[in-house]
Amino acid sequence: MAERGLSRIGLAGLAVMGQNLALNIAEKGFPISVYNRSNNKVDETIERAKAEGSLPLKGYYDPREFVESIAKPRAIIILVKAGAPVDQTIATLSEFLEPGDCIIDGGNEWYENTERRAELVKAKGLHYLGMGVSGGEEGARRGPSMMPGGTLEAYKYIEDIVTKVAAQVDDGPCVTYIGPGGAGNFVKMVHNGIEYGDMQLISEAYDVLKSVGGLSNRELHETFTEWNRGELESFLIEITADIFGVQDEQGEGELVDKILDKTGMKGTGKWTVQQAAELSIAVPTIAASLDSRFLSGLKEERVAAASAFKQYGVGDILAQKDIDKKQLIDDVRKALYASKICSYAQGMNLIRAKGMEKSWNLNLGEISRIWKGGCIIRAKFLDRIKAAYDRDSNIASLLLDPDFAKEMVERQGAWRRVVTLAIGVGISTPGMSASLAYFDSYRRQRLPANLLQAQRDYFGAHTYERIDKDGAFHTEWYKISQKNKQVSNL
């Protein structure tokens, strides 16, 4: 219970995410102090608090006054741009903090930075949490999914607040203590990587339906609206349906057609792929989504290439057969669902691998549960993912869960038809293709990696293992091949 006149918690950093989270906290009945280096942001937040119901929020322009307005032991959430601004904010606030106080970084931060900062402030007797917050501006205001990591003691400082502020689903609030160190930031990073994959797969479904099936934006709106009533029900499918229905206020037609096909990013997808490479975890769907964003950035080159290849008779879309629109829509739905399962499986495998490396003792089922509401990748089938981990917390891959395995097999025919069709007409579906290749590689007892290993041993004496004997072996491939050539020339 906060001392009379003092706030229960503080928040520094009042861009839209910070403002919305502060208002959410205040609306849930927790008096909050807010601070920002720019005074106008403080004023703006105070005005919003008054307008949205005279919420218990106080604004401060001086860091010392801000810190001293919070009841001890103090808990302060920082929501500023990742990197140097976080370090600067910590330096500013920690000058006035006392042993036992707690700093919570709510941004998209690299997990090792969180661990470094935790050690830094520990020397001053302070606690530190890295807490991923997902859900965008609306989620921050109405209820996000939150992924706090650090010491359990530090989490207890804010548990009563975050369990009320988070999105609420049928089996509890969308927040849980993730684990020690940078576990919270790492899980949020992979969440964003899965988000990259999800968005790419949806964009590919759109491309096939529009470019091959000839669906109008109205038909796409109706199709995605219908999909959102079934197995694909999710936030991203819902907002995609909405997008197709928005008219251009500055011209004719729908706005989506006027948007430049060039995608931005903030780095978490790249971090996810880099970490996967470090841990030797295959995440081809997420990697394909990252490559697709890189390629989208080459707009001028792509325009020039389209013109150059058109001279050789290769247009945007190659010759195609008549399309059964109804069948195509059903096939794309199934292909999208199967591809999504692969993408989520890759992300969960990466989280598990990092958890094992760092001894974080992560609960994959509980992580799936807190993604059911508030966050960008919230989806109906996260219930199914949680159930899969509840049945077997040590399952090697979601693809091995009996329910998911059965669904993959039932949808593979449609999945293959969509990818084959796309290849045939010259449309790239890197996410769906990568997911299908992942599925096909994972389910095969024997891959052509035996040849790769033979090549490595040939040029680099890297040795190889045999299927019939234990141990490492090396063959003098060059000498043997030269002898064989001499014999064949006799």
Side-chain angles (χ1 to χ4, degrees):
M1 193 77 175
E3 297 174 43
R4 185 179 297 276
L6 295 179
S7 295
R8 169 66 181 81
I9 192 169
L11 190 147
L14 296 174
V16 179
M17 278 289 287
Q19 285 188 26
N20 282 357
L21 187 60
L23 293 168
N24 185 353
I25 292 170
E27 188 176 61
K28 297 304 186 296
F30 300 99
I32 183 170
S33 296
V34 299
Y35 164 76
N36 197 83
R37 285 196 309 167
S38 305
N39 290 354
N40 65 312
K41 291 293 184 182
V42 178
D43 294 335
E44 196 177 294
T45 309
I46 293 170
E47 288 304 312
R48 286 189 62 189
K50 290 177 182 176
E52 295 182 25
S54 298
L55 302 176
L57 179 147
K58 295 179 182 178
Y60 293 87
Y61 309 100
D62 177 78
R64 178 191 288 275
E65 291 179 3
F66 166 65
V67 170
E68 292 178 349
S69 73
I70 304 163
K72 300 177 185 179
R74 303 179 182 95
I76 297 177
I77 298 172
I78 295 174
L79 265 172
V80 299
K81 188 177 179 181
V86 177
D87 291 308
Q88 291 163 5
T89 305
I90 291 170
T92 298
L93 298 179
S94 60
E95 187 177 341
F96 311 109
L97 291 171
E98 301 173 20
D101 291 345
C102 182
I103 297 172
I104 304 109
D105 179 9
N108 281 331
E109 187 56 271
W110 175 237
Y111 82 98
E112 289 182 341
N113 282 343
T114 295
E115 296 186 336
R116 170 180 59 79
R117 289 169 183 145
E119 286 301 311
L120 182 68
V121 302
K122 185 178 179 181
K124 300 180 179 182
L126 304 177
H127 297 285
Y128 198 87
L129 286 175
M131 182 173 71
V133 179
S134 178
E137 298 170 10
E138 190 64 21
R141 182 65 184 86
R142 304 299 171 193
S145 173
M146 293 185 278
M147 294 149 257
T151 64
L152 184 58
E153 181 185 358
Y155 174 66
K156 293 296 181 183
Y157 276 45
I158 59 167
E159 185 175 19
D160 61 326
I161 297 175
V162 294
T163 51
K164 286 189 177 180
V165 167
Q168 307 292 316
V169 292
D170 54 358
D171 49 5
C174 292
V175 61
T176 192
Y177 172 67
I178 299 293
N185 287 124
F186 190 88
V187 167
K188 175 57 165 60
M189 178 197 75
V190 178
H191 162 286
N192 286 19
I194 294 171
E195 180 185 311
Y196 272 51
D198 238 350
M199 294 172 73
Q200 177 63 29
L201 292 168
I202 291 170
S203 74
E204 292 173 18
Y206 154 65
D207 196 9
V208 172
L209 292 176
K210 183 180 180 69
S211 301
V212 184
L215 271 69
S216 65
N217 287 327
R218 180 181 179 81
E219 289 174 313
L220 287 164
H221 168 74
E222 292 169 352
T223 296
F224 276 81
T225 299
E226 181 61 31
W227 283 359
N228 199 47
R229 298 190 185 106
E231 63 190 8
L232 288 172
E233 180 186 328
S234 64
F235 173 71
L236 285 171
I237 293 292
E238 178 185 351
I239 68 169
T240 301
D242 290 344
I243 287 167
F244 292 126
V246 173
Q247 298 296 306
D248 180 11
E249 295 180 348
Q250 301 179 35
E252 295 183 0
E254 289 78 26
L255 179 57
V256 68
D257 294 330
K258 308 292 177 59
I259 297 174
L260 182 68
D261 54 320
K262 192 173 179 179
T263 308
M265 64 186 125
K266 292 188 175 180
T268 45
K270 181 171 72 173
W271 290 347
T272 302
V273 174
Q274 288 172 335
Q275 277 294 292
E278 293 266 344
L279 293 164
S280 300
I281 299 296
V283 292
T285 311
I286 298 170
S289 72
L290 187 64
D291 286 340
S292 294
R293 293 194 183 200
F294 294 153
L295 281 165
S296 79
L298 303 178
K299 177 64 177 179
E300 293 77 13
E301 287 184 45
R302 289 188 288 110
V303 170
S307 176
F309 282 101
K310 195 171 183 179
Q311 296 178 36
Y312 299 104
V314 180
D316 272 4
I317 306 296
L318 306 183
Q320 57 180 304
K321 300 176 182 178
D322 292 335
I323 297 295
D324 181 333
K325 190 180 288 188
K326 185 177 179 181
Q327 179 67 53
L328 179 64
I329 291 171
D330 192 54
D331 280 354
V332 172
R333 173 182 61 80
K334 291 175 180 175
L336 177 55
Y337 183 77
S339 297
K340 279 166 66 78
I341 292 173
C342 285
S343 185
Y344 279 70
Q346 293 161 28
M348 299 310 286
N349 285 352
L350 178 54
I351 290 172
R352 182 185 60 199
K354 193 65 178 184
M356 292 172 65
E357 180 196 64
K358 301 285 285 185
S359 300
W360 281 339
N361 193 29
L362 302 180
N363 185 330
L364 299 185
E366 180 68 356
I367 290 170
S368 303
R369 186 195 67 77
I370 67 168
W371 288 347
K372 285 167 54 178
C375 71
I376 303 301
I377 65 170
R378 61 184 183 266
K380 182 179 180 180
F381 86 149
L382 279 160
D383 261 330
R384 313 265 312 289
I385 293 177
K386 180 182 183 300
Y389 285 115
D390 285 348
R391 282 191 291 270
D392 182 359
S393 61
N394 295 314
I395 192 168
S397 170
L398 287 173
L399 303 190
L400 296 178
D401 176 74
D403 287 355
F404 281 126
K406 183 172 181 289
E407 289 185 332
M408 300 284 279
V409 171
E410 289 172 349
R411 288 159 179 74
Q412 69 164 334
W415 197 4
R416 296 182 194 285
R417 284 194 295 272
V418 170
V419 172
T420 301
L421 174 64
I423 292 171
V425 300
I427 290 178
S428 61
T429 52
M432 287 188 182
S433 300
S435 285
L436 181 56
Y438 180 80
F439 170 67
D440 282 340
S441 294
Y442 191 71
R443 66 176 179 77
R444 288 190 66 193
Q445 185 174 332
R446 187 169 174 81
L447 291 170
N450 55 316
L451 178 58
L452 294 179
Q453 198 59 19
Q455 292 169 334
R456 294 182 73 242
D457 189 52
Y458 190 124
F459 65 69
H462 293 294
T463 74
Y464 56 87
E465 296 176 271
R466 295 178 60 99
I467 60 175
D468 54 352
K469 297 177 182 178
D470 291 334
F473 298 85
H474 170 61
T475 295
E476 297 287 347
W477 300 91
Y478 178 76
K479 291 181 179 178
I480 294 172
S481 63
Q482 289 303 306
K483 288 181 181 179
N484 289 342
K485 288 174 184 177
Q486 291 172 5
V487 170
S488 63
N489 289 332
L490 293 177

